[in-house]
Amino acid sequence: MVAKFANWLDERVSWRQVWDAIFLRKVPKVNWFYTLGSATLFVAVNQAVTGILLTLYYVPTPDHAYDSVQYITTQVPAGWLIRGLHHWGVSAMVVLVVLHMLRVIFYGAYKYPREVTWFSGIILLLVVIGFGFTGYLLPWDQKAYWATTVGTRIAGTPPLIGDYLLRILRGGEDLSAVTLARFFGTHVWVLPATLMLLLGIHLYLVIRIGISAVPKKED
Amino acid sequence: MNEQEKRTYLEKYQEAKKKGFPFFPDIVFKDAVVSLVVFIVLIALAYFVGAPLEARANPADTTYTPRPEWYFLFLFQLLKYFPGKLEVIGVIVLPTLAILLLFFLPLLDQNPRRHFLKRPVITTAATLAVAGIAFLTVQAVRETPPPAEVTSGDQTAALYAANCAPCHGASITVPPGTNLHQVIAQGKHEGMPAWGADLSTDQIDALAGFILSPGGSQLFTQYCAECHQVPELVASNPLELKRALDEGLTYPPHANAKISDWSAVMSAEERSRLLNFLAAADGERLFATNCSPCHGSSVAFSGSEAELRALISKGGLHLEMPPWQTKLSQTEIETLANYVVDPKAEPSGKNLFDQYCKTCHGERVPTANNLEQARQIIASGRPHQTMPIWGDILTSEQLDALVQYTLQAAQGTSLATGPQLFGTNCAPCHDEFGEGGPNPSLPGDIIPPISSSEFLKTHDDTTLQAIIAQGQPDLGMTPFGTAYGGPLEDTDIEAIVAYMRSWEVNPPAALPPQAQPPASGGTTLSGAEIYAQVCAQCHGLHGEGGSGPALNAPQFQAANTDQDIANTISAGRPSTAMIAWGGFLTSTQIEQLVSFIRTLPSSSASPAVPSFAVDVMPILQVKCVLCHGSLGGWNAASYTSIMTSGNHVPVVIPGDAANSLLAQKLLGTQASGEIMPPSGKLSDSEIQIIVNWINTGALEK
Amino acid sequence: MKEKDEISRRDFMKVATWSIGGLIGLGWGIPAIAYVASPAWKSEQAQVWIRLGATSKVELGVPTLFKVKVKRQTGWIVNEEELSVYVLTEDGRNYIAMSNVCTHLGCRVRWIAEQDRFFCPCHNGVFDQQGNVVSGPPPRPLNQYQVKVEDGQLFILGG
């Protein structure tokens, strides 16, 4: 039955070709360090799933942000888990991304022909940092508020443009409802869109070019 | 990398690929295993550590030490090494440089070798960078410890953290002799808000106790909180508190509770800390709970601090009253006795009293029930009255505070000056206790009480001070502040406001003067009568509005359902003079009122024939009944008594206002006696209404 | 032989991979369902005893309106709502407390003393003193609350 349906579908959308290209391709013998990229991808999916769930209850205004987060954590069944996964997922993401990058650096995997993969990877790193920074404010607790105050103030230090930069980040002089709204918007719309685009490029290139082999002494 | 090298690499890679494995399942399996491990770690972290949520963001809290998330810590730390103008290097130049270097790494590193040992520069640089970031992160953690957590479960500590800590930090040093409760309730000039409106008296007491004895709150949470709420115990009678702590198990109310032996559980020092928390070492509060039942609101004490301390702590055999007959003449005793029974009747007694009695009795004139008793006590003296040995009961901090306060109060500060200033400046119009009454500068106006709990609750100190200082010219109140040409300094005004605040606990005027609860009379009143008594004062006799909104306006009538009106009457409007009448009126009466209010638009359209209940009675009620009530003579309280009572019956001759004494007295055309009311002629329109009513037959309807 | 080992190893890895995938899927899916669908079975309001006021305020034989403020939590927002309850007692010992919400379409009924009836203004529903339907569209008597009296204070069970 399943096979019949698979065939029926394949006749129409040729999914086997795609499947073969992605999953049945041969790759050089690699070690466990090569799982770091996939693990990062896994955590990214985790962040997406839990993040989407969080928006079902979260309200990004100073009046409600804190209360709704508290509500999620204490009142909603499994809310603590969803929020816990999202919260710790950030740390896991940062750790894994950095380890993944170090693997690429130490194995020289950024070299020909994978330069573009590397470029997209670096931008992805910045996107991840952006996620961390914008997401940090959202619970609107003391830590969030003051860490973001300091963080945005840092952006305001460069001469000439600093003041403008600060006001763009905060949406005004002070950290306010405007700041919260734009951080939220960036966190759930701008950055995810960027992430998906870059991740698409990144993965396409990885599959197209293939995973680099573990360099031997003579390489 | 030249073309040759590129080709070699690709060939080698193809070979490696051939020797390799299919991506699925070999590689994907490894990926899945690692993902599962990561997932389990995340769930474990969520379960065992959880996602932290600190207190709600408080932009006013400048004491909070912000610490960014751990992965930004290294950057945060880096900034510390670039102080002042160099900051921009740490903030912008270095990070940008690092990211650019990282980004262009494939272009910078043209070395065709790939093994990390064959690329020493990159390997070293990367290792150093990782080590540097790790070092900076560790430094940052060591240099900025995470913020201390608030002790959980300690309600008062939480109250403090939420309300006081943002400005005052972790603790406050209070100068001795500060009336802490008052400072918290009324705020201070230096930008401290008045908390009286937001916090309950109990909460303020608890806060005062917490500030003066922070450890006590913790002890309370530990030992008492299981059975007692904080507000229930704070500022209670220290006698009982002390007893409960001393007796522990044997303290009767604790008989059925599982109580430890306090003296075993807590050290003496801890017990006094707990006591200081429960009855804050706040002189005025201590005086109010412990001394005023016998000593009234103040004592006159002219001795030294040490004497006072000894007196309070040793209690009193000191209060023996000598037999004055040995020192004073018979007439002097007589004068004093008269003065004590009724100070107003014997003003000359004041000098004698000041001379001989004031030292012990203070300003408070002891009251005697009758002349005989007074005479006897003054002449033959009195045995001592026992004063508790407070030294055994109060903690030393509490004793200090009490002594400080008593000395201060005896020197005639706020407590004493407030009532005095109020008496000379405000009482002429607002009456002795702010009950209000006829407005002397605005005939026909009634000054509402300023001592009702409604009034006091809806006016904060700033507002009251402003009203006193600037006056209310529209209402005939002249400015009293020196800045506005009045006689009172700011401190005087504060003293008056402080005195007014002292009413709040037990307001002398519970209701507006005309609002004698009609329900209690037991008589049935019509909607019109209730309206006239209760509502007309603010909403106008015909609902035309006044200090309250117009009720006969079509907009009002259209916008509100009967239920809305009934609800408003019953529940009142917060922060306005519209109090919750549901407490005084029955629901039937409210329904009657609603029906009456519905008739207002039509009835006000034709006021040609004045209605007794709606037009006449309210005027009489306000202007006449105060004197012409149950005191005898003409009684203006009801239709029947108006028509039939008094020494000059009939006062009202239906259809003939010219010969009716009531109209004559109001118009000033009477043959004998004075024009009424004595405070000044009624307004022309008011007189016209009554004259019209008489001329149209003086009907009861 | 070696070839065969290889194949069974691959099969194992396939099965294991799919299982792990399924496991992680469940790890997300079950909490997600609980998280999203919980309002379906979680009733937000616990029933508590609400103090109406002193029994002495209740007039004998006449439904007396009590209004109390009730804290109602919807999500993380706590609102104060006013609850209107008519309390009736014939003997000063047994009390019935009736909701003032008409059982027809939820309008507020009012006690009209002259007629000795509750009237609903919306569709002319009429209830008698005890809240039984006299005429009009209401399908059942006015809802009653469980009542208790403690220390002369009336309490109703509601939320």
Side-chain angles (χ1 to χ4, degrees):
Chain A
M1 184 63 205
V2 177
K4 223 173 156 190
F5 175 71
N7 286 334
W8 182 88
L9 201 64
D10 188 48
E11 266 175 43
R12 285 156 182 83
V13 300
S14 316
W15 63 268
R16 284 216 169 90
Q17 226 177 325
V18 180
W19 175 266
D20 291 355
I22 295 176
F23 288 102
L24 300 188
R25 69 196 154 99
K26 284 199 119 183
V27 291
K29 187 174 159 44
V30 292
N31 57 28
W32 283 94
F33 287 123
Y34 282 71
T35 59
L36 287 166
S38 315
T40 311
L41 180 62
F42 164 75
V43 179
V45 173
N46 176 69
Q47 295 307 86
V49 171
T50 53
I52 288 169
L53 287 174
L54 286 174
T55 59
L56 293 189
Y57 290 97
Y58 176 77
V59 178
T61 66
D63 290 353
H64 294 295
Y66 182 81
D67 290 327
S68 59
V69 171
Q70 199 167 45
Y71 182 73
I72 292 170
T73 321
T74 59
Q75 306 285 308
V76 182
W80 62 270
L81 179 62
I82 304 290
R83 188 169 161 247
L85 286 176
H86 198 75
H87 174 86
W88 290 106
V90 180
S91 296
M93 189 81 181
V94 172
V95 170
L96 290 170
V97 160
V98 168
L99 290 178
H100 177 54
M101 187 178 75
L102 289 176
R103 197 274 292 167
V104 171
I105 292 177
F106 283 112
Y107 281 5
Y110 53 85
K111 293 174 182 249
Y112 174 84
R114 299 187 180 80
E115 291 97 330
V116 181
T117 322
W118 170 264
F119 295 151
S120 64
I122 293 299
I123 305 176
L124 277 169
L125 172 71
L126 296 179
V127 169
V128 167
I129 291 171
F131 267 118
F133 186 66
T134 51
Y136 205 58
L137 177 67
L138 302 187
W140 202 252
D141 61 356
Q142 282 282 70
K143 195 173 177 176
Y145 185 91
W146 291 107
T148 308
T149 305
V150 173
T152 46
R153 198 180 291 148
I154 288 175
T157 45
L160 299 176
I161 54 157
D163 197 36
Y164 298 102
L165 214 58
L166 176 88
R167 272 188 271 173
I168 291 171
L169 277 176
R170 291 186 181 175
E173 287 289 336
D174 295 308
L175 215 61
S176 64
V178 184
T179 324
L180 183 55
R182 60 176 53 208
F183 271 47
F184 178 72
T186 310
H187 191 81
V188 305
W189 294 116
V190 180
L191 291 176
T194 320
L195 182 87
M196 279 205 266
L197 180 72
L198 288 164
L199 201 58
I201 296 172
H202 200 74
L203 291 179
Y204 167 78
L205 290 173
V206 168
I207 293 162
R208 185 82 188 84
I209 303 170
I211 316 172
S212 66
V214 181
K216 301 195 187 67
K217 266 269 170 76
E218 66 271 15
D219 283 332
Chain B
M1 221 177 187
N2 55 38
E3 290 305 311
Q4 178 59 41
E5 283 163 342
K6 283 182 187 169
R7 217 172 307 129
T8 331
Y9 172 77
L10 287 181
E11 275 164 17
K12 264 194 164 171
Y13 181 68
Q14 285 306 327
E15 237 169 76
K17 224 170 154 178
K18 264 190 206 128
K19 278 194 272 171
F21 309 98
F23 183 58
F24 180 82
D26 295 51
I27 308 293
V28 177
F29 171 69
K30 279 184 174 174
D31 290 340
V33 170
V34 172
S35 296
L36 184 65
V37 171
V38 171
F39 193 48
I40 290 170
V41 169
L42 287 183
I43 291 177
L45 282 169
Y47 185 79
F48 292 108
V49 187
L53 187 63
E54 292 188 357
R56 184 191 302 274
N58 178 4
D61 180 0
T62 48
T63 58
Y64 188 86
T65 317
R67 221 169 72 135
E69 191 65 328
W70 64 268
Y71 44 82
F72 287 126
L73 276 180
F74 75 95
L75 258 179
F76 194 60
Q77 183 68 16
L78 188 65
L79 298 185
K80 292 188 184 164
Y81 303 122
F82 295 95
K85 284 195 172 160
L86 292 178
E87 195 181 21
V88 74
I89 297 179
V91 172
I92 302 294
V93 180
L94 278 186
T96 315
L97 214 62
I99 289 166
L100 285 178
L101 273 178
L102 209 55
F103 190 84
F104 291 109
L105 185 61
L107 308 183
L108 297 171
D109 177 21
Q110 292 289 357
N111 184 347
R113 310 300 299 266
R114 289 179 191 242
H115 194 267
F116 65 93
L117 288 178
K118 299 288 152 74
R119 300 179 295 129
V121 180
I122 297 294
T123 309
T124 318
T127 314
L128 281 180
V130 171
I133 287 175
F135 170 77
L136 286 174
T137 307
V138 170
Q139 276 306 100
V141 172
R142 284 173 50 189
E143 286 180 22
T144 50
E149 295 206 0
V150 176
T151 337
S152 62
D154 191 335
Q155 285 178 39
T156 319
L159 205 61
Y160 180 88
N163 295 301
C164 317
C167 293
H168 288 288
S171 67
I172 307 175
T173 333
V174 184
T178 307
N179 184 348
L180 197 52
H181 184 98
Q182 194 184 339
V183 171
I184 300 173
Q186 301 177 6
K188 270 191 138 182
H189 281 312
E190 298 89 52
M192 171 162 170
W195 293 97
D198 297 326
L199 300 177
S200 72
T201 315
D202 288 335
Q203 283 176 318
I204 294 176
D205 279 334
L207 272 180
F210 180 80
I211 291 167
L212 294 170
S213 177
S217 172
Q218 228 166 341
L219 289 165
F220 180 89
T221 312
Q222 198 175 344
Y223 295 116
C224 319
E226 204 178 309
C227 303
H228 296 287
Q229 292 285 316
V230 192
E232 165 199 344
L233 280 191
V234 286
S236 355
N237 184 352
L239 277 167
E240 285 297 308
L241 290 172
K242 172 86 175 162
R243 230 184 110 194
L245 270 193
D246 282 348
E247 296 179 8
L249 272 173
T250 47
Y251 182 61
H254 280 171
N256 295 322
K258 275 183 280 167
I259 297 287
S260 336
D261 182 7
W262 299 127
S263 48
V265 182
M266 279 182 266
S267 69
E269 193 205 348
E270 281 179 324
R271 272 178 291 158
S272 96
R273 212 181 291 156
L274 181 57
L275 284 173
N276 279 341
F277 167 66
L278 291 173
D282 177 335
E284 186 184 350
R285 306 292 287 174
L286 287 168
F287 190 92
T289 36
N290 303 309
C291 315
S292 61
C294 296
H295 293 282
S297 60
S298 68
V299 284
F301 182 81
S302 45
S304 71
E305 186 179 334
E307 283 168 2
L308 180 62
R309 186 181 301 273
L311 192 66
I312 296 178
S313 50
K314 289 194 189 128
L317 297 177
H318 310 264
L319 296 175
E320 207 162 315
M321 177 165 159
W324 288 102
Q325 57 195 3
T326 56
K327 285 191 182 165
L328 300 179
S329 72
Q330 200 59 42
T331 42
E332 281 172 326
I333 290 179
E334 192 63 27
T335 314
L336 261 182
N338 281 326
Y339 179 70
V340 166
V341 172
D342 184 4
K344 279 182 201 131
E346 190 63 62
S348 54
K350 178 139 186 9
N351 287 334
L352 282 170
F353 188 85
D354 285 353
Q355 198 179 341
Y356 298 109
C357 316
K358 205 174 167 183
T359 333
C360 293
H361 288 285
E363 299 287 354
R364 191 176 57 105
V365 178
T367 47
N369 295 332
N370 57 57
L371 203 57
E372 187 49 45
Q373 190 196 4
R375 206 179 288 134
Q376 200 241 319
I377 290 174
I378 297 171
S380 37
R382 256 204 146 172
H384 63 79
Q385 283 177 315
T386 25
M387 171 162 145
I389 303 166
W390 291 106
D392 289 352
I393 294 159
L394 298 175
T395 66
S396 60
E397 290 83 0
Q398 289 169 338
L399 197 63
D400 284 346
L402 187 57
V403 169
Q404 289 284 350
Y405 170 78
T406 311
L407 274 180
Q408 228 175 50
Q411 279 152 18
T413 44
S414 63
L415 252 195
T417 54
Q420 205 184 333
L421 287 166
F422 189 90
T424 43
N425 294 291
C426 319
C429 294
H430 289 283
D431 216 337
E432 196 182 352
F433 292 108
E435 299 97 324
N439 188 339
S441 50
L442 207 63
D445 186 45
I446 285 281
I447 300 174
I450 54 171
S451 50
S452 67
S453 63
E454 270 75 28
F455 182 87
L456 291 170
K457 255 184 224 133
T458 52
H459 292 73
D460 63 10
D461 287 0
T462 331
T463 313
L464 290 177
Q465 283 164 9
I467 292 177
I468 299 173
Q470 300 163 16
Q472 298 211 300
D474 292 346
L475 301 172
M477 175 170 168
T478 54
F480 283 86
T482 44
Y484 301 86
L488 299 180
E489 299 287 341
D490 282 355
T491 47
D492 296 337
I493 295 178
E494 275 166 37
I496 292 176
V497 171
Y499 172 62
M500 289 173 67
R501 279 285 167 238
S502 71
W503 291 332
E504 209 162 355
V505 188
N506 191 11
L511 300 171
Q514 300 316 315
Q516 260 59 41
S520 61
T523 50
T524 44
L525 294 164
S526 72
E529 285 165 325
I530 303 171
Y531 181 89
Q533 289 194 12
V534 171
C535 318
Q537 203 182 330
C538 294
H539 293 286
L541 289 176
H542 307 286
E544 69 273 16
S547 60
L551 303 181
N552 63 0
Q555 304 93 298
F556 173 85
Q557 294 279 345
N560 292 284
T561 64
D562 288 2
Q563 188 66 48
D564 290 340
I565 300 177
N567 285 348
T568 311
I569 296 173
S570 166
R573 289 215 183 276
S575 307
T576 68
M578 182 78 191
I579 62 172
W581 290 101
F584 312 108
L585 302 174
T586 65
S587 47
T588 333
Q589 286 173 320
I590 293 179
E591 310 232 306
Q592 284 174 305
L593 259 182
V594 173
S595 323
F596 177 75
I597 288 169
R598 285 297 185 208
T599 67
L600 282 174
S602 51
S603 72
S604 64
S606 55
V609 180
S611 144
F612 175 74
V614 177
D615 303 311
V616 178
M617 194 58 214
I619 301 175
L620 300 179
Q621 187 80 39
V622 170
K623 304 293 180 187
C624 315
V625 172
L626 217 60
C627 298
H628 293 285
S630 50
L631 295 175
W634 181 60
N635 183 343
S638 74
Y639 180 78
T640 335
S641 65
I642 289 170
M643 303 304 283
T644 58
S645 67
N647 304 331
H648 303 282
V649 181
V651 168
V652 173
I653 304 165
D656 187 0
N659 287 313
S660 299
L661 185 60
L662 175 58
Q664 291 172 351
K665 281 275 194 185
L666 294 177
L667 289 161
T669 56
Q670 75 284 4
S672 66
E674 291 166 30
I675 184 170
M676 282 289 156
S679 62
K681 206 172 168 186
L682 294 182
S683 72
D684 290 347
S685 60
E686 284 171 325
I687 297 176
Q688 199 55 48
I689 287 172
I690 292 172
V691 168
N692 282 349
W693 170 69
I694 299 176
N695 282 337
T696 51
L699 298 173
E700 192 176 357
K701 278 281 160 177
Chain C
M1 193 61 210
K2 200 180 171 235
E3 194 76 343
K4 238 187 177 166
D5 270 1
E6 191 71 353
I7 287 172
S8 66
R9 200 175 72 93
R10 290 251 156 82
D11 283 341
F12 164 76
M13 287 199 289
K14 279 184 188 171
V15 172
T17 306
W18 284 115
S19 316
I20 290 173
L23 207 61
I24 292 176
L26 286 180
W28 280 328
I30 294 170
I33 290 170
Y35 179 87
V36 174
S38 62
W41 59 79
K42 205 176 88 176
S43 97
E44 292 221 342
Q45 222 59 40
Q47 295 258 302
V48 287
W49 285 105
I50 302 164
R51 196 181 72 86
L52 286 185
T55 50
S56 55
K57 281 197 188 169
V58 185
E59 294 172 52
L60 276 188
V62 182
T64 310
L65 183 63
F66 281 87
K67 285 167 188 287
V68 280
K69 292 261 181 345
V70 183
K71 285 227 165 91
R72 202 173 280 275
Q73 188 183 6
T74 43
W76 54 89
I77 298 172
V78 179
N79 282 321
E80 251 198 4
E81 279 182 18
E82 201 176 64
L83 199 64
S84 298
V85 179
Y86 278 100
V87 179
L88 174 72
T89 182
E90 297 295 347
D91 51 10
R93 280 190 305 280
N94 301 306
Y95 294 88
I96 51 176
M98 289 166 280
S99 154
N100 75 335
V101 176
C102 180
T103 50
H104 177 220
L105 291 174
C107 295
R108 306 278 154 164
V109 299
R110 270 209 305 139
W111 174 251
I112 304 295
E114 296 83 53
Q115 320 236 1
D116 218 18
R117 290 283 182 269
F118 287 104
F119 284 92
C120 175
C122 294
H123 302 93
N124 297 325
V126 181
F127 302 85
D128 69 10
Q129 226 181 26
Q130 270 82 29
N132 299 312
V133 183
V134 175
S135 67
R140 54 174 199 281
L142 290 174
N143 289 334
Q144 294 197 352
Y145 293 96
Q146 209 178 318
V147 184
K148 73 169 179 182
V149 177
E150 264 176 22
D151 297 335
Q153 298 287 325
L154 265 173
F155 291 83
I156 56 165
L157 190 63

